[in-house]
Amino acid sequence: QVQLVESGGGLVQAGGSLRLSCVASIKILSVNAMGWHRQAPGKQRELVADVTGGGGTGYTDAVKGRFTISRDIAKNTVYLQMNSLKPDDTAVYYCNANTRNRDYWGKGTLVTVSS
């Protein structure tokens, strides 16, 4: 069973930074993509950023230029560096592993940005 464990969430003021980490129990090079999704209260879960097995990255427009996804292959860990945070970034952030057979999800980490 694949496990994804997120950490790094918390309370931060607008304009601040946080770095989220996701440790995977599988080799992240073996998956199609690793991604960070978020779900704000009353809203649907949305993809924030992802990195493919080949290393290509993608971002939703709302975070381009502020967030950076990266990975440490040796540690099977994916990071999300979040800068210039805004109150609209407040959400539970989930790590996702997209494999050939199915998607796996972590339990999420809460990010709260105060104005």
Side-chain angles (χ1 to χ4, degrees), residues 34-92:
M34 296 292 298
W36 285 97
H37 298 239
R38 67 185 180 186
Q39 187 166 18
K43 295 187 177 180
Q44 289 188 328
R45 192 173 298 189
E46 63 172 351
L47 174 64
V48 176
D50 63 3
V51 54
T52 68
T57 58
Y59 300 89
T60 190
D61 286 346
V63 307
K64 283 181 180 177
R66 300 189 298 122
F67 291 11
T68 303
I69 190 169
S70 62
R71 62 184 183 177
D72 185 327
I73 294 170
K75 295 182 179 180
N76 290 315
T77 300
V78 178
Y79 304 98
L80 185 68
Q81 178 66 44
M82 306 186 295
N83 299 328
S84 302
L85 282 161
K86 305 175 181 180
D88 284 349
D89 295 318
T90 295
V92 177

